[in-house]
């Protein structure tokens, strides 16, 4: 049975089929890639996304949910949270998928965008007599029925970071509306660092920052099919990406990888029914804040990836015969401790969710920022400890061609053996996996993207300061210190912790 | 209206009254203290405990709950958790009380002991045809009705740490049964580091570690009234405890403090109805593990104390006129980040609670250890940053006698003023509070006890290793590395995370 | 043989005698202290200073040097560095004295001030036809001959930190010249955080920061006898300072302690021959920078104090019978690693000294800042680890009165014994020492003063930025990246490392 | 003028010529590489080594010295240290070469091996009436005259790490003597992780660990020409090594790289005059300890590489227009602080050198271990901060083929511009350099090799523990705590710090 356009995607195979024959404009290695699914660099990223379908099959309670929009089970990545347990389940699913793929499975941005837009469109309508929310529900219901992948496209190139969109030397440095008629709008610009864009069916284009009134053309949210005319995808390079052309072993994690592209929107037409914000610049900040609240907590996925790296380090130690050494055990404990600390803040944020007037549930913002901020630090230390346990061979090991060579291979096997029945291939495989995760393709996701995704570290610090309610804390100190003079005002409290 | 023995304690004042006239044997500063409530060193620790009553009055939804045992509202510290929200609410209450007192309010050990014993007595009975659980319920119902304070007495002096109880050179180094008749038992030994023991009405004596069959006399759990014959209390010194005899300002936090005593049990008789384990050495490990699971998560209280210290540092910066400096703001953000990371792991552990067969709910053990382990690190860094923001005057400021001196006082005021209308007393008060919390009486609770309470750091690392399920993590790594050879067995998994 | 005023001080006993009968105005605990040497709080600080005399006796190659000014051996604390090895020897002596006293021995500020003034007075004279340098040599030669203690008095109270001295609401918030005649000047103001001022014979009053032309009255350097008319000393409180009134054991380190006082200069007259700068505001910045260059490297003393704390932790572990446990050994290694890292940067700064035109040698400024900046961090972590190894008894141990009590003492000995022949007094003593160094009197010096002495952390960061020569580093990166476009200018380089 | 075999190598070009036509057995990418100098992966590693010749030309005072062996100037990498300043100059040269190459220049192992062997051969002869030292001087004088590169070959594959050499399942897992006749010996085995072996002229084969009497065949030191019959070189893969085949820009640092190979010694014959130890198993530990003392301090080179990375991060921030943001400046300061802390411990170790009986100078062992141990931590944090300042484009930037594409290139330039005249190529170049150093070819040297080179972290901790002299530290604590009972013995002191 073969999937055809318009069919519901009901398996990972259907999903792979759905990406074929789309005639996208994709550029990589100086060539236009006709069929991404056949490209050795791109295919592993499709596999990672496909796991989101696979998991919904094999563990539906974890990776699917019954949507109130269509009263049917849908993939959890397309679900609007209806209670606290939905928000929590997102995190649990994310950790599991991190464990399954060891990389970025790319579908969280869309999930978090859908949930943020659900409440923001509701609030715009309440304030402005628009009808974005109903439009959005209609579009989303259809996406849910077909079980499609939605990519969230937020990050503009930004140009000179000290200037707002309308003051840039080139107006296209942020996506904006360049044309409008009775039936729709035309948008232009680009979105950088787009995770999994090629592997999606729809892109949700959104503004990337707080906007002023002069930026109202930039206040646009639109759903765009990935294969809409006018879109070009330029593929980003990753560390050791050329390993994809060679041996499975040297690739480290041959099956799964992330994907980052630049999406160029060159006068892309969007019909009215797919426009969910147009000109309401006052709501751009809300959208960004709600999206990042969801998304910074979504970085719990890295604790799943961390589980793999801890496992790889433990395995390397075992294969080296040193897993009982006290310092080795202590380092593994430290890795687990850091990894669970990441998980804890994310899942805590989810458990402390509250309901928006639109009816969806949103996690605590402060704890989400705490989670993400730990993610900007701990994976690097976990990675360092993994390299410590791996040993120096991690970066001096010859390539698979040498191990496969009739003359050289046996010499390597002789000298890299750690005992009479120890297989060197196991060691090679686990070391290549650690290399992949700490300095190869998936280090992009596990390390650098952990720093910059969903906002760089300083963005979290700004948000933590806003939500810290220092005035309240100062008043606690005043009381205990016996200070009775009047307080000085400060930023109002925004979190509701005890 | 005055509280009388036997009355329900229905206010903080009742509570204070209930501690009077008990004729305890309390030793401090070379003297027997006749009435602890009148002693300047002890009174602040009573105030801290009294806040647990006060909060139940002012915020009953936070600090009380309806007990299924007596179908009446009880103080949450006496409540057996009946659902997940009960476990979560414990943490929220603990953070609030940390904020209210800036120190250890001493009532958590009892709360956690009650909850651990609830399920352990149930399990012993199920295995051994004993009737400890019903006895325990009867005793607890009575305690709930009277609204008493229960102290949990676990830590034995331990002697030579490489030997089990029965091999110590002195058999009393762990509490044990030294006599038994038809109506009850007689116990002997001591319990060290007893937080708030003097401020309690009952002590729950429990074994401190896993026991072997030869240690069965040491497998004893008993409820003992604080004023039972044979008990001596020897008060522990704290840093700067002598400040309690002097000026309120120099005390730093004149109202609240912690309390640690050594409790010596010299042939204390316990009637049968107050014995909840006797000889079932196999269950000692369960009791310790469940108690520490609850209690390591209870260290969320330190995030409440941290809120005070962060507020004090912010206030000091404000009074020094440097609160807008970027490095000052950045340090405050870092303090908040670390403090919320502590909170996150504790509250996450509580949210991930599960039901025991006895019907009570118990938090996740791994995340509880993660919480406590962060508590052994972050308060020290928060304290260091607070001292950074306080400035050097923190440790060079003259005493209150100098500020009060008719001649010297005005000179100090002149030179310590930071502007024409800046009051030096505010600065003095907040600096003394920071001193109190980082190197004074409440540093004992905020720093050292954060290290050692509920088990020293290495105890958490042992537990984290046990619960890390490295075999499962290794299998994830094997799959992604493409290793297909059979796995090597390892410690069985004990946590159930995704 | 008794020391008399005017005699050369040739022993620690002479030194103690030299402090007697001076009729200083010293305020502590609401009283005027007539004879500081008899005061239990002050005496230990005199002992610490006295060790600087003792060491010159017992290890003259380390603690004395032949001065080119008088062609005689002098105490190294009074010596102007004549070659690189002199600068290095200062650090070695400082570490040793830290090891001998476990606290601040107070004589470094004067040593560093003498060395900084030696070159600054030379440079002023070269620029301004003044004769400060010769005056300074004459004064110093006399001080060397008598072997006196010189205190360096730099830190003004500073008032509103956003304003320069002449704009403060009270002109006295920085020390300034308030009168002048043919023979000398009159100065007024105060100096805060004055380490060991009472234990000195001379104070070198110096400006505390870069000055502008309008601040020229504040550009004053003067040598003032400690007992000059018009000076008041107000003693600063320290954590647990009241322990000095009680048992030796509970004091922790009964013999040695630091000392911080506020010095108030109320119209103090200084004859011309003791004035070494008056009005040359342009040189205030040089003086501060040279002094802090010397002084930030002098914090190597903390590695000597750290040696004591590491030893105390190792001893506590040994007495607890756990010194062979792998985690205990690992923590001791970590403490040593951090401690030696402090030492390394200081001694490296000293080895990389250069000669000033005046002929004295001055250490590298960048590495001195690196040393001090590590000192603002690592002692806190070393202290935390020491508390970890000490165990919880550190903060729950009863006082000496209880141990000395005929009835209670034996009970405590029974229960705190760790084996049949283990002495509890040893444990008590070492735990009290650790308490003293991490939260007691000497924590003031080992922790808080490590943060703020010689400039708070941010002061080092400002200086590190200035000396980092980022432009040079950018040019290295440009070359390797193959960038050939012209460079953008930046702060000029100030360090001369390879 | 062309260099010919036997000529002195007097320039970088001579050096390159000297590597040609040697008919080595080198395996890489499944092929035998006939001329390594022409291979795109290998050539950059030759360039890095060539800088050691270049620097001796352009800065002879830094990179050359007059050798007492031949009374002529020699490259400092071939010089035996004759005074403290020689040891210090090694470090200064190493930092400079790190700055020049941004990678490992590979010649330190040989330098440190020469210096260690100089004293060890002397000591063997003194104990055993052998004549290794004279042989070694003769050989070295010749190497100095020709100005050759010496590689130090120490690390055996080690097999099962819990077993000594003679108990391995395969006796060849450590290099050993397998034959001997009147003129020399035959050795067999392999050396792993051999830095720059291919780029050398001689290999100094040495044992890798302490040996027992049963391992005496493994106690062998021999100088072997790189092109000796029986040697095979198997090239190690590095992260992103395939970038070497493509665009200069994407390579990140196109000119310089490190090199790691496995060297297989298959019955290699060594004439007697090139054997410097044979059977003296008692001296293996001395050799390893002296070599690692020198070599762990040689990791100061990483502070030079760190200078490049800091410069690259500062440049990236400048090109992004954010270099004045306070958090950016603060991160650069932190990077400098960590980098200089590495330098400080290394240079301090060198300054604290002492003379061996053989007449050469050797640095302090404890501080060398401190230096290396910081190197196992700080480059990772510096790398993390560099990635923070680089921004997310670091890992999402399209490849050079896209930027060079006639259609796509201008689109990328349009969207990646940060202002009207900002060149994207500069940004691309600096980002690729940062990628290269933190997750590409030179991350191998800057990060992983910083962990494992000269011994993994735990090896330093073992050595730090040995040299910490805890017994002396405990005695300091005892004195201050007033403990007078007799001390317990411990490891004897090995360092001689004050």
């Amino acid at each position: 049975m073969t999937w055809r356009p318009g069919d519901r995607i009901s398996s990972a195979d259907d999903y792979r089929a759905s990406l074929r024959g789309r005639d996208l404009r994709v550029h990589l290695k100086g060539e236009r890639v006709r069929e991404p699914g056949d490209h050795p660099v791109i295919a592993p990223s499709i596999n990672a996304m496909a796991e989101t379908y696979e998991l919904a099959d094999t563990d539906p309670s974890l990776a699917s949910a019954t949507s109130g929009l269509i009263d049917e089970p849908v993939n959890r990545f397309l679900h609007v949270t209806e209670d606290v347990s939905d928000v929590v389940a997102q995190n649990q699913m994310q950790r599991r998928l991190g464990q399954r793929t060891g990389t970025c499975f790319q579908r969280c941005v869309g999930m978090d965008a859908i949930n943020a837009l659900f409440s923001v469109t509701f609030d715009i309508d309440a304030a402005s007599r628009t009808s974005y929310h109903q439009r959005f529900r209609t579009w989303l219901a259809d996406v849910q029925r077909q079980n499609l992948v939605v990519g969230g496209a937020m990050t503009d190139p930004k140009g000179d970071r000290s200037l707002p969109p309308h003051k840039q030397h080139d107006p296209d440095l942020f996506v904006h509306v360049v044309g409008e008629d009775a039936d729709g709008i035309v948008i232009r610009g680009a979105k950088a660092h787009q995770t999994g864009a090629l592997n999606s069916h729809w892109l949700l284009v959104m503004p990337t920052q707080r906007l002023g009134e002069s930026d109202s053309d930039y206040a646009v949210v639109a759903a765009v099919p990935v294969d809409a005319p006018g879109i070009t995808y330029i593929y980003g390079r990753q560390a050791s990406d050329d390993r994809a052309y060679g041996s499975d072993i040297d690739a480290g994690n041959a099956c799964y990888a992330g994907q980052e592209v630049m999406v160029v929107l060159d006068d892309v037409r969007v019909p009215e029914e797919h426009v969910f914000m147009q000109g309401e610049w006052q709501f751009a900040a809300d959208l960004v804040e709600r999206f990042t609240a969801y998304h910074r907590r979504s970085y719990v996925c890295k604790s799943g990836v961390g589980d793999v790296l801890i496992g790889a380090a433990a395995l390397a130690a075992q294969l080296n015969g040193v897993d009982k050494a006290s310092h080795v055990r202590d380092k593994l404990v430290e890795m687990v401790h850091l990894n669970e600390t990441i998980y804890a803040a994310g899942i805590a944020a989810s458990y402390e969710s509250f309901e928006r007037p639109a009816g969806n549930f949103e996690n605590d913002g402060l704890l989400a920022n705490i989670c993400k901020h730990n993610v900007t630090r701990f994976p690097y230390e976990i990675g360092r400890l993994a390299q410590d346990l791996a040993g120096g061979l991690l970066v001096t090991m010859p390539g698979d061609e040498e191990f496969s060579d009739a003359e050289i291979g046996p010499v390597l096997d002789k000298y890299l053996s750690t005992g009479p029945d120890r297989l060197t291939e196991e060691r090679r495989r686990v070391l290549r996996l650690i290399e992949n995760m700490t300095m190869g393709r998936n280090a992009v996701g596990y390390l650098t993207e952990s720093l910059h995704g969903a906002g760089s570290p300083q963005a979290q610090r700004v948000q933590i300061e806003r939500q810290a309610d220092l005035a309240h804390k100062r008043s606690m100190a005043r009381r205990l210190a016996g200070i009775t003079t009047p307080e000085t005002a400060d930023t109002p409290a925004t979190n509701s912790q005890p």
Side-chain angles (χ1 to χ4, degrees), chain A:
Chain A
M1 202 180 75
T2 313
W3 180 90
R4 296 189 190 183
D7 288 358
R8 181 171 196 282
I9 296 175
S10 53
S11 70
D13 283 345
D14 282 1
Y15 165 66
R16 283 193 186 84
S18 76
L19 299 183
R20 296 195 158 268
R22 298 193 295 173
D23 195 30
L24 306 179
R25 283 168 50 93
V26 177
H27 288 263
L28 171 57
K29 287 267 179 179
E31 294 177 357
R32 183 156 169 204
V33 179
R34 292 295 160 179
E35 193 56 85
D38 295 337
H39 195 287
V41 169
I42 304 176
S45 76
I46 295 173
N47 291 341
M49 183 78 90
E51 281 289 312
T52 66
Y53 287 95
E54 188 71 24
L55 189 66
D57 268 5
T58 56
D59 195 344
S61 68
L62 183 63
S64 67
T66 299
S67 168
L69 282 184
I70 62 171
D71 280 324
E72 281 174 38
V74 299
N75 190 294
R76 190 176 291 288
F77 282 99
L78 296 175
H79 184 53
V80 174
T81 53
E82 299 178 8
D83 55 25
V84 170
S85 73
D86 273 342
V87 191
V88 169
Q90 291 179 339
N91 268 178
Q92 291 168 327
M93 173 179 71
Q94 288 163 326
R95 184 165 186 173
R96 179 76 68 80
L97 284 165
Q99 295 173 338
R100 295 285 302 168
T101 61
T103 189
C104 175
F105 39 89
Q106 313 149 41
R107 209 171 172 183
C108 302
V109 181
M111 178 176 76
D112 295 333
I114 287 168
N115 278 278
L117 277 171
F118 192 84
S119 72
V120 170
T121 54
F122 184 93
D123 291 354
I124 300 177
D125 290 357
S128 321
R129 301 192 177 206
T130 46
S131 55
Y132 295 128
H133 188 64
Q134 187 52 49
R135 270 189 208 166
F136 181 74
R137 294 171 73 105
T138 304
W139 170 80
L140 181 59
D142 200 49
V143 164
Q144 286 182 341
R145 275 185 211 102
Q146 294 190 61
N147 195 11
L148 302 176
V149 173
V150 178
M154 186 169 254
T155 313
D156 294 285
K158 294 200 190 89
D160 181 334
R161 282 157 191 249
S162 65
L163 300 175
H166 73 279
K167 289 212 173 145
Q168 298 288 333
H169 73 281
D170 180 338
D172 302 341
L173 284 165
F174 290 74
V175 170
H176 58 139
V177 177
V178 294
E180 181 177 6
D181 63 21
D183 303 328
I185 60 174
V186 176
I187 60 177
R188 189 190 301 152
K191 292 291 183 179
H193 323 309
Q194 293 305 296
T195 302
L198 271 194
N199 303 341
S200 306
H201 303 100
W202 284 92
L203 297 178
L204 268 173
V205 176
M206 302 174 285
T208 197
Q209 63 183 40
R210 177 181 297 271
L211 297 174
E213 191 165 1
S214 308
D215 297 317
S216 61
D217 284 345
Y218 294 86
V220 57
V221 174
V224 180
V226 166
D227 56 358
I231 310 186
T232 302
Y233 299 91
I234 311 172
Y235 215 88
R237 294 211 69 171
Q238 297 179 316
S240 289
D241 47 4
D242 288 318
R243 298 271 180 104
Y245 297 97
S247 121
D248 270 21
I249 292 181
D250 284 3
N253 179 346
C255 194
Y256 301 108
Q259 175 190 88
E260 303 286 343
V261 297
M262 173 173 281
V263 178
V264 181
L265 302 156
D266 191 9
D267 291 359
V268 174
R269 180 166 184 83
V270 187
E272 187 181 53
E273 66 263 30
H274 295 157
V275 177
F276 308 130
M277 177 193 287
Q278 189 192 343
E280 293 82 6
W281 57 269
Q282 306 93 325
F283 288 89
D286 285 339
L287 176 55
V288 172
E289 187 164 323
R290 293 181 200 179
F291 171 75
T292 55
Y294 279 120
H295 201 46
R296 288 179 185 168
R297 159 222 62 133
S298 285
Y299 275 75
V300 152
C301 67
K302 303 302 181 196
S303 67
V305 181
D307 287 329
V308 175
L309 187 53
I310 294 166
L315 183 54
Q318 202 182 50
L319 295 172
N320 289 340
V322 297
D323 52 318
K324 300 305 178 205
S326 64
H327 77 95
V328 169
R329 292 169 59 193
D330 197 61
K331 284 165 187 163
L332 287 167
V333 166
E334 184 65 17
M335 294 166 86
V336 170
H337 174 65
L338 297 174
N339 198 49
E340 297 294 337
T341 297
I342 289 172
Y343 176 73
I347 202 81
S350 294
Y351 276 116
E352 301 219 329
S353 292
F354 60 95
E355 188 175 7
R356 287 278 176 198
N360 63 319
F361 281 70
E362 188 178 313
N363 56 271
D364 183 76
L366 177 57
L367 289 174
N369 276 283
I370 300 303
C371 172
K372 174 69 208 327
H373 207 53
N374 283 328
V375 169
T376 69
R377 299 174 173 181
F378 294 165
Y380 284 83
E381 178 65 3
I382 294 170
R384 189 182 76 87
L385 291 168
Q387 292 196 352
D388 185 347
L389 296 181
L393 191 62
L394 180 71
V395 292
T396 67
M397 188 164 59
D400 188 49
E401 295 91 336
E402 273 59 70
F403 281 92
S404 305
D405 184 273
E407 185 188 357
I408 298 300
V411 173
L412 286 169
D413 283 341
K414 170 185 171 80
Y415 283 114
L416 294 180
S417 163
T418 59
D421 1 278
R422 298 288 175 72
L423 301 175
T424 59
E425 190 183 311
E426 280 181 321
R427 279 183 94 196
R428 288 167 59 202
R429 285 186 176 276
V430 73
L431 293 184
R432 286 296 178 215
L433 175 60
I434 295 173
E435 186 195 30
N436 168 284
M437 298 179 78
T438 61
M439 51 203 318
R441 281 195 85 178
N442 290 327
V444 167
Y446 186 57
L447 300 180
T448 322
E449 196 235 320
S450 286
L451 261 183
H452 292 291
S456 299
Q458 189 60 15
Q460 287 115 53
R461 294 181 88 80
V462 168
Q463 206 62 24
I464 291 169
E465 188 180 37
R466 275 195 202 137
Q467 300 180 324
D469 197 1
L470 289 177
H472 184 38
K473 288 180 167 57
R474 286 201 307 267
S475 73
M476 297 170 195
R478 295 171 70 88
R479 175 174 163 271
L480 294 180
I483 299 175
T484 53
T485 51
E487 306 194 17
T488 308
D490 196 293
T491 324
T494 58
N495 70 326
S496 56
Q497 287 175 359

